Amino acid sequence: MSMTKTTGIMCTSLLRTCKYPKEVGAPILYSNRFVFDIRRQAPFTHARCVHGFDASRKSPHLIPGLTYPESTNKVRFALSHMFFGNITHHDFLRRDPITSFFLQISPENASFIKDVRVEGFVETVEEGQNRREYPIGLLDILPIYTTIFKNCSPQLQHLTIFQGSGAGCLRASPVGNGQKTEEQRMDDAISNIVKCLPRLKAIELSAPVVQKKAKRQKVAGDVLDPADRRIQPWGSAVRWEAFVAARTVK
């Protein structure tokens, strides 16, 4: 992934070769918004994530935050490999837009990042697809990104997470998630982000709002049935937007 493709910003080679422009320009360059889309796009329209079902099974200790997220030494080792190791043969690190981008920009430049938007799908299982072969969903990747941002981007102030439409698809149910509902898993993922990124000034949970269809045509004077109200795809997790905003004011 090139810098131009990711950000639309060109002529970054000057920052790599001239010391003064780098010192002055790098913080300005990396204060722009960076958009990372983990949705698999055409011509691979059959898949709903850049990561296949087994992407995180190969050398999981090399994926930051996937195993032993509370172990400082193990996280540091995984991050060092992400920046300086050979990720050519590691499917997750090579294909992921964030890990591959951080590999290109170095730890120093990653520390300047202030605004990030992540786009992905929660529902990744298509009709007729074997659930044991589902692409990895957004909720399973967010903890990894949280670890990366926590350790590499201390100046991150604004985080937007866009959940694409899950129309026609089912939620993947990875082994080990217990009996938690999708809404509970969303709340867990976002609360973990808020906890791990105390300097975050704003978090925005974005998604196409779904309108539930009424069982019959409404007429003037009808009382709105709760089942006909607009559905917030992020559920109760949207409360963290107000929490972060209030925390920032304090």
Side-chain angles (χ1 to χ4, degrees):
M1 180 184 300
S2 67
M3 179 77 77
T4 303
K5 182 178 179 181
T6 306
T7 65
I9 301 172
M10 303 177 67
C11 302
T12 57
S13 58
L14 180 64
L15 299 179
R16 294 194 295 268
T17 56
C18 301
K19 183 178 180 180
Y20 179 72
K22 177 183 178 181
E23 292 177 350
V24 176
I28 299 175
L29 171 64
Y30 290 100
S31 65
N32 286 277
R33 166 169 286 193
F34 291 86
V35 180
F36 300 99
D37 191 350
I38 61 172
R39 298 172 293 179
R40 189 85 175 265
Q41 303 297 331
F44 306 100
T45 54
H46 63 285
R48 291 174 60 82
C49 182
V50 296
H51 300 301
F53 73 100
D54 60 347
S56 60
R57 299 181 184 181
K58 180 179 180 181
S59 301
H61 65 287
L62 295 180
I63 302 176
L66 184 62
T67 58
Y68 308 106
E70 303 300 327
S71 173
T72 302
N73 290 336
K74 293 183 184 299
V75 169
R76 186 182 294 117
F77 175 82
L79 291 172
S80 177
H81 181 80
M82 179 184 74
F83 280 114
F84 306 112
N86 182 1
I87 67 173
T88 305
H89 303 293
H90 195 288
D91 289 344
F92 186 96
L93 298 178
R94 174 174 55 85
R95 295 169 63 87
D96 189 83
I98 288 184
T99 58
S100 58
F101 177 65
F102 275 38
L103 171 68
Q104 295 183 59
I105 67 173
S106 81
E108 180 184 3
N109 291 329
S111 69
F112 296 133
I113 291 179
K114 295 182 178 180
D115 192 344
V116 168
R117 177 183 171 96
V118 176
E119 301 178 348
F121 291 116
V122 171
E123 295 91 350
T124 59
V125 181
E126 298 177 293
E127 184 178 359
Q129 186 177 16
N130 189 330
R131 282 179 177 266
R132 291 177 296 180
E133 298 181 357
Y134 59 80
I136 301 175
L138 178 62
L139 296 182
D140 299 307
I141 298 179
L142 283 179
I144 298 171
Y145 291 168
T146 302
T147 299
I148 293 174
F149 294 143
K150 174 185 177 181
N151 291 276
C152 303
S153 303
Q155 298 188 53
L156 183 64
Q157 298 179 0
H158 193 285
L159 176 61
T160 301
I161 306 174
F162 177 80
Q163 177 190 159
S165 172
C169 293
L170 304 173
R171 176 175 62 88
S173 300
V175 176
N177 72 333
Q179 300 299 317
K180 290 187 177 181
T181 65
E182 181 177 295
E183 184 171 354
Q184 289 172 327
R185 294 187 65 220
M186 287 181 185
D187 193 74
D188 287 348
I190 303 305
S191 65
N192 183 51
I193 291 174
V194 173
K195 173 185 175 182
C196 292
L197 304 178
R199 296 184 181 179
L200 202 63
K201 293 184 177 180
I203 184 168
E204 179 182 351
L205 303 180
S206 178
V209 178
V210 179
Q211 179 74 45
K212 245 191 172 182
K213 293 183 179 179
K215 296 180 180 178
R216 66 178 179 82
Q217 185 67 36
K218 293 294 181 182
V219 296
D222 275 352
V223 177
L224 182 65
D225 188 296
D228 298 331
R229 291 198 177 102
R230 298 169 75 189
I231 301 173
Q232 167 54 254
W234 282 102
S236 61
V238 295
R239 64 192 174 94
W240 293 108
E241 293 180 332
F243 178 88
V244 172
R247 182 178 68 179
T248 301
V249 172
K250 293 179 182 180

